[in-house]
Amino acid sequence: MLKQFGLLKQFGSAGKTQDATDLLSDDLALVEQRVEPAKRIAHIVYKKLAGCLQSQQGLDAHRRMKKLPLMLLSISMAESLKDLDGDSPLRKVLEMTCFMQSFLAKTLADFEVRVEKEVLEPLNKLSEEDLAEVLKNKKQFAKLTTDWLNARSRSQTSTGPQAKQDGLREDMEEAWRRLENIKDQYSADLYHFASKEDDYARYFVRLLDLQAEYHKISLGFLERNISELRESCVQAGQQDCMDNSFEGKVFGRSLLSHILDSGEEIAVPIRHCVQMLLDRGLKEEGLFRVAAAASEVKKLKNSLDCGITDHNEFSSDPHAVAGALKSYLRELPEPLMTFDLYNDWFAAAGEKEESDRLEQLRVVLNKLPQENYNNLRYLMQFLARLAEHQAVNKMGPSNIAIVLGPNLLWPRPEGEDCLLDMASAYSVQVVTVIEPLVQHAGSLFPEEEDFHIREPLGSPDLSESLLQGMDSWMTFTHGTSLSAFSFTNGLSVSSLSLAANSDTATSPTPPSHSVSQESLQNQSPDQNQSPDQNQSPDQNQGPTPARAQTPEPSPNQSASLLRWPLRP
């Protein structure tokens, strides 16, 4: 009884209020204020995070993967391959993309399983069980506090018989015992919450860790394999499908890049267009001046881009061929005669004496990069032949310079309006440079030019062996297998079998399929010559002026540029 009255004295001030918090210490009162917001946060985050999952909760990684949009995309890609022949670059890129999407689906499924187990389930337990029990005890504590205060008030205000007062006092003591029990239990809950609050905060840190790991695995896989796929596309002449910095495989690319990829000395559009014009265009009146049908020019450009050019089809319209050639020169990122030498050309052409003018033009020609010089020489020697027929075609050196000059030389752009005004602003000045190059092509470019078209070194392609190896690689890395693909003779896909192995953790990069630099060097140069070329090298070469040579690529750089997928 003395203990009970001592406790009543300790909490005597509680009679002034109905708030159970007054019976808690200041520290516990602060902790209590954080419980309900923590429960609300855990509940909201659980719902929103569960909504971010792309698969159904409760499934294992294998079953999740089959239902993910990425896996459905991979399956659709595989099923669509039957509509493409085996030589289609689109099919070969699509095959590898199909594999990569299936891996990304597997990675995503593993990530979502871990998020569910390590973040969602703990948050749900915290919200619906742990903190819910604490708040339930809080309500019980508040109720019993109210009951005790009411019993105490009745006992203190009773004026009835002694027996009644004793009964009210017993009710008050019983109410206190129940309050004391729940107070101890509730205080223990608050202490436990305070001790575990750091652990609850780590749920969110764990979420970020899992996201970082998932994105790191996905990004690393994509970077490694996109690099491999891009390299294969470049070697197959399909870099345009991976790089949006230019429109097409040939047009809009830098000259050096195209020369290195094609293995040719002369750019493909220049060589093909010149050959067609030599066949049927030398006596065409107004060549390069008369505009052709835009559709014909576009068709020829696209034909040159994809590497399939039938001379018989396009030679019948020399103006379309001339238009495509002008378009190629105009779309070069840097003019054939270069930005750096822009002022040098005009300074050389400004010499009063013809002998001095030609000498200075030779000096500037020697400053050109080797690939620019070779293509300019090829073009000028053709234009010199064209000018020989000026009595018929009305295209002498001056007229040629007027229509082609702005496509060969223009200043480095310095403003938005520069490109728009370029042709008209500089055409008169450019004529003074281009005209003597055409008129004196024989002396300025003494090397005898061979206008026959050479066959390319080969048509590098995505290897069938690479595609065959992808099946075993995908099975090893993440359990995905394509069992019914046929990679021989362009046979179509009949069916797709995809299986997932949830134990797979990481994905190594597929082996790089390439031939060595040594094997490329072993190819005979004679394999690259046209059957019509029976002259010896000594018969084809005249005196060559001294030139500033462009440094050759290093062996490592050359190997990188010339890596081709292995062929079966």
Side-chain angles (χ1 to χ4, degrees), residues 61-62 65 106 110 475-480 499-505:
H62 172 62
M65 185 184 70
K106 176 65 169 60
D110 292 339
T475 303
F476 173 77
T477 54
H478 58 86
T480 301
N501 182 358
S502 59
D503 295 333
T504 304

Side-chain angles (χ1 to χ4, degrees), residues 21 23-35 183-184 186-194:
T21 305
L23 300 179
L24 300 174
S25 66
D26 292 341
D27 291 339
L28 286 181
L30 291 175
V31 172
E32 183 186 47
Q33 295 176 10
R34 300 199 293 267
V35 174
K183 173 180 175 294
D184 291 342
Y186 182 50
S187 298
D189 289 341
L190 293 178
Y191 282 125
H192 180 74
F193 171 78

